[in-house]
Amino acid sequence: MQRRALLALPGLALAAPALAQSPWPNRPVRVIVPFPPGGSTDAMSRTAAQKLQERLGQPFVVENRAGANGAVGGQAVAQAAPDGYTLCASASIQMLGRLVMRNPGYDPMTDLTPIIRTGRGPLLLLMTANRQPTSLQELLAAVRANPREWNFAVSSLGAAGHLATIEFIRQAGVELTQVPYRGTAPAITDVVAGNAQLVFEPILATWPPARDGRAKALAITAAERSQAAPTVPTAAEGGMPNLDIQSWWALWGPRGLPTEISARIAEILQPAMREPDVVARIGGLGIEQAGEAGPDFAAFIRRDFERSQELLRVANFQPE
């Protein structure tokens, strides 16, 4: 028996390199989403995963791992082997972990490999329906006259909505209270109920209550109006020309992800995210396609991080 086992070893030694050299992917890929199902981040992640699965012939399994402003899922990806079988699909908040948390457990700027930015989308300024202003100009006059009567709901520290809130307060030149919430849904629920007065969130979450008359949509934080909410003016139209802060969505891998794998993912997703069915699907969420990849995407992240860092610094924000 021992002789037979020894004779089998050479065959095993020859098989191992052959398996190691099999083209990626040759088994299912995990796509970790650091936020709950149902939101724009989840929808964008599943769209990208579906296109990769169609083109590469292996399952791309979306796994929601919510918690700690994206740090729970981010850590899971950062600690995974850089072999292309664990990816992170998230929003722009993912990059700000060390700016908004004292100990996120990892550094998203160095422990993740940027692959491709898949989309971008403006925020909508939602106001409770029981207040008088009907435009951004009227709101600015009201908050300057009585700042203590107004507060902002903030769903996630470091999210685009938090940054837009800081920029709004800076441009308005007043001190307004910011009330933290555990997610988008409770923040918007309180604005609709009148317990909070204002919130910046993506169109997917804010447009339905505005469209139904349960709240008021005052402005879009982009240079152009959104096709998903075409009647809502831009912040520039309302007198705040520099209030142009958008959320964005992307894919990352662990640090050390081979360039050929990240390049292959980008090669597939850059045209796939421009396909008519995808454009229609994400357009309904208030999101437009974006396609920076590799070094271009890394450079974009650095610029966006520096802008966010400066906004938080000016606001004297302290990590929690």
Side-chain angles (χ1 to χ4, degrees):
M1 293 179 64
Q2 290 180 345
R3 178 179 174 79
R4 285 197 297 270
L6 289 171
L7 288 174
L9 287 175
L12 289 174
L14 289 173
L19 287 172
Q21 294 170 11
S22 298
W24 176 89
N26 56 35
R27 54 186 171 88
V29 176
R30 287 192 308 162
V31 181
I32 292 179
V33 179
F35 296 96
S40 53
T41 298
D42 186 65
M44 286 295 291
S45 304
R46 293 179 186 277
T47 298
Q50 177 187 340
K51 290 301 178 180
L52 289 168
Q53 182 168 305
E54 290 173 0
R55 302 299 189 276
L56 293 170
Q58 289 288 344
F60 278 70
V61 182
V62 173
E63 180 181 326
N64 296 90
R65 285 203 188 183
N69 273 5
V72 172
Q75 285 183 51
V77 177
Q79 295 166 2
D83 55 10
Y85 291 97
T86 303
L87 304 175
C88 176
S90 191
S92 47
I93 186 177
Q94 198 69 40
M95 289 293 96
L96 302 185
R98 63 184 170 94
L99 295 182
V100 298
M101 301 175 66
R102 287 195 178 94
N103 183 23
Y106 79 115
D107 186 346
M109 292 292 289
T110 58
D111 293 337
L112 298 178
T113 297
I115 300 175
I116 182 172
R117 188 165 75 124
T118 55
R120 59 186 174 86
L123 307 172
L124 186 151
L125 175 57
L126 191 72
M127 186 187 75
T128 185
N130 62 10
R131 292 296 176 96
Q132 291 300 314
T134 58
S135 68
L136 184 57
Q137 295 99 320
E138 291 179 5
L139 173 64
L140 284 170
V143 298
R144 285 166 177 160
N146 297 291
R148 293 185 179 182
E149 295 184 3
W150 297 87
N151 60 52
F152 267 98
V154 176
S155 66
S156 298
L157 298 178
H162 181 206
L163 300 173
T165 299
I166 291 172
E167 180 62 17
F168 177 96
I169 291 172
R170 187 189 70 80
Q171 290 193 39
V174 295
E175 292 292 331
L176 300 177
T177 300
Q178 299 178 54
V179 182
Y181 286 80
R182 292 183 178 272
T184 297
I188 290 178
T189 297
D190 255 18
V191 170
V192 170
N195 298 322
Q197 287 71 55
L198 302 163
V199 69
F200 281 104
E201 286 293 330
I203 291 172
L204 174 64
T206 49
W207 183 235
R211 181 189 57 215
D212 298 343
R214 293 178 288 128
K216 297 179 183 180
L218 298 187
I220 292 287
T221 62
E224 298 179 354
R225 294 194 182 196
S226 171
Q227 294 182 358
T231 59
V232 183
T234 67
E237 291 178 74
M240 302 187 89
N242 296 320
L243 188 58
D244 186 351
I245 294 177
Q246 302 192 44
S247 191
W248 49 268
W249 294 266
L251 287 178
W252 291 264
R255 180 173 56 187
L257 183 71
T259 302
E260 57 268 24
I261 293 178
S262 58
R264 180 67 176 132
I265 293 172
E267 180 184 39
I268 291 169
L269 289 182
Q270 281 176 323
M273 298 302 288
R274 293 194 295 267
E275 292 175 1
D277 65 315
V278 174
V279 171
R281 189 186 314 168
I282 69 175
L285 307 177
I287 299 171
E288 298 178 0
Q289 184 270 346
E292 300 95 331
D296 290 340
F297 180 33
F300 168 83
I301 288 176
R302 287 193 296 273
R303 294 192 302 270
D304 193 69
F305 180 87
E306 290 168 359
R307 180 190 185 189
S308 300
Q309 186 176 40
E310 179 61 15
L311 277 173
L312 293 170
R313 185 194 67 78
V314 170
N316 293 316
F317 176 80
Q318 300 299 316
E320 297 186 357

